[in-house]
Amino acid sequence: MTEFSHRVEQVSISGIREVFEAAGEDAINLGLGQPDFPTPEHARAGAIEAIESKKTDAYTSNKGTQSLREAISGTYDREYGIGIDPGDIIATSGGSEALHLVLEAHVDPGEEVIFPDPGFVSYDALTKIADGTPKPVPLREDLTLDPATVEEAITDDTAVFVVNSPSNPTGAVQSKEDMREFARIADEHDVLCLSDEVYERIVFEGEHRSPLEFAQSDNVVVVSACSKTYSMTGWRLGWVVGSNRRIERMLRVHQYGQACASAPAQYAAEAALTGPQDPVYEMVDAFEKRRDLVVDGLEDAGLEVPTPSGAFYVMPKVPDGWCEEVLERDVVVVPGDAFGAHGEGYARLSYATGTEELKEALEIIDAATQAVR
């Protein structure tokens, strides 16, 4: 009888999903990792126009349409002053597929992948699916990743280390100095730095910087997407940027697993990237106001809260039994250990929901906090 592969048996359903399934139908959901704003009108119009003009009836290039890749390249030039050849980009089915391509193309069985803990749940799972060895490392007190911690963790078996800024689940933003150090580490140790920049435009303090700016070799690969910036999670459109030799290897995985990203989504993404950016600025402004509301409310409840500088998550330290008590009162939060062992004693809250719901949730959280103290 054919049994299941060791790779898939190592991976379980996300702890985030378990929390959702345990919640009541009328619960206030502070667990969702997606913006509650509509996709910008000009992005939707781009897809509609492409569909009606029959541009989406056939496969696109495996890498994605030339015009989309030029739009992505133009964005890096405009926003960060980084020159990217459109041939060094693959359009993917969301940032998730992009992460998968990077690890599948660069990790041999048993090789180590270093990533932040607490960190995005996919890093551990995708490492195992690539038959690699997960190597989570703890964060600083402010929930940023210390380059020194990464460098100390590197061994002869290390293939990749992951940087995620702004971060899911912490909302932390790495400094320019940190990003310069990550690039140096990749160069000097000849190890690939996978920079997950899916939340790159959602920054409140400081600025988003990429290790790609500082690398002297091709040992930095960047993953990003339209999902968060343009509230396009359902469109499933992301990309990976790297040197041509790395892109060509990742293309082999993409070619057989996906062929190409959805054509309508590619045209929507092109329109989003090249059209008015006002919806992005308005969304980020709204998130910042919600961030302040949530941090103040959690502090008023007596919780210790590292103030997030980006994304739309906050990760307070919480007492034993807190998550269960809050969930029983029909507010969905995610226990910190769903994001790794070092997340124990924390909880992740998303403020990608309406202000009135957040105020109601904070009142419930205050009562729940007093109940478990």
Side-chain angles (χ1 to χ4, degrees):
M1 179 179 176
T2 302
E3 295 297 334
F4 301 106
S5 70
H6 172 68
R7 294 185 304 279
V8 77
E9 288 294 81
Q10 292 185 90
V11 178
S12 59
I13 298 299
S14 164
I16 301 173
R17 180 56 52 191
E18 292 176 1
V19 171
F20 288 172
E21 292 176 354
E25 289 184 8
D26 297 325
I28 300 174
N29 196 335
L30 303 187
L32 284 177
Q34 64 178 359
D36 59 322
F37 295 86
T39 298
E41 180 63 35
H42 61 277
R44 285 182 280 151
I48 292 168
E49 190 279 329
I51 292 168
E52 290 181 340
S53 61
K54 301 180 182 178
K55 293 180 181 178
T56 61
D57 293 353
Y59 295 120
T60 72
S61 161
N62 292 134
K63 287 184 178 180
T65 66
Q66 178 71 18
S67 57
L68 170 59
R69 288 181 285 120
E70 288 174 355
I72 294 168
S73 172
T75 298
Y76 280 93
D77 185 33
R78 180 179 68 249
E79 296 292 333
Y80 310 119
I82 302 176
I84 305 291
D85 189 310
D88 296 341
I89 299 168
I90 302 174
T92 61
S93 293
S96 297
E97 193 216 351
L99 292 172
H100 176 65
L101 298 186
V102 177
L103 295 178
E104 286 292 332
H106 292 94
V107 179
D108 272 327
E111 287 189 324
E112 298 169 345
V113 177
I114 298 167
F115 52 82
D117 179 358
F120 182 41
V121 294
S122 289
Y123 304 146
D124 182 87
L126 290 175
T127 297
K128 292 172 179 173
I129 290 170
D131 218 7
T133 300
K135 194 169 186 180
V137 294
L139 304 178
R140 297 167 171 140
E141 278 296 309
D142 66 356
L143 302 183
T144 58
L145 180 63
D146 189 342
T149 302
V150 171
E151 191 161 26
E152 289 167 6
I154 291 174
T155 71
D156 290 342
D157 294 322
T158 303
V160 179
F161 68 89
V162 180
V163 177
N164 177 211
S165 178
S167 165
N168 175 9
T170 70
V173 174
Q174 300 287 153
S175 69
K176 174 183 176 181
E177 292 71 28
D178 284 347
M179 291 306 206
R180 190 188 300 275
E181 274 295 283
F182 289 131
R184 178 194 63 78
I185 291 166
D187 290 336
E188 291 187 7
H189 292 269
D190 199 21
V191 171
L192 187 70
C193 172
L194 166 52
S195 186
D196 180 351
E197 303 179 12
V198 167
Y199 293 88
E200 61 186 308
R201 300 284 296 280
I202 307 176
V203 177
F204 315 129
E205 279 92 36
E207 59 180 340
H208 171 70
R209 303 301 292 262
S210 172
L212 191 63
E213 298 177 54
F214 308 108
Q216 300 299 308
S217 69
D218 74 344
N219 286 340
V220 174
V221 168
V222 172
V223 164
S224 195
C226 285
S227 301
K228 315 299 181 176
T229 298
Y230 298 101
S231 196
M232 291 176 65
T233 53
W235 293 84
R236 309 312 304 134
L237 197 291
W239 57 84
V240 58
V241 173
S243 69
N244 192 258
R245 71 186 185 104
R246 296 194 186 279
I247 287 293
E248 292 304 318
R249 268 63 172 196
M250 288 185 275
L251 188 63
R252 298 174 191 178
V253 182
H254 176 68
Q255 195 172 56
Y256 294 109
Q258 186 66 29
C260 64
S262 159
Q266 291 189 55
Y267 286 101
E270 179 186 342
L273 291 164
T274 58
Q277 300 301 295
D278 293 352
V280 178
Y281 306 140
E282 291 166 5
M283 183 176 69
V284 172
D285 184 60
F287 280 144
E288 184 173 7
K289 290 181 171 66
R290 294 180 191 177
R291 187 269 318 252
D292 294 342
L293 172 70
V294 170
V295 169
D296 287 347
L298 294 173
E299 288 180 341
D300 288 346
L303 298 175
E304 183 179 338
V305 190
T307 300
S309 296
F312 39 75
Y313 307 107
V314 61
M315 208 164 189
K317 290 184 178 180
V318 298
D320 289 344
W322 187 89
C323 292
E324 293 81 359
E325 184 70 25
V326 171
L327 187 60
E328 284 182 8
R329 295 168 186 252
D330 278 342
V331 174
V332 178
V333 297
V334 183
D337 59 9
F339 303 96
H342 291 286
E344 186 173 359
Y346 290 86
R348 189 195 78 171
L349 286 68
S350 166
Y351 43 89
T353 190
T355 300
E356 292 308 311
E357 278 193 308
L358 288 174
K359 289 178 179 178
E360 182 181 352
L362 288 168
E363 291 180 4
I364 295 170
I365 285 170
D366 182 53
T369 303
Q370 307 320 311
V372 297
R373 286 199 182 279

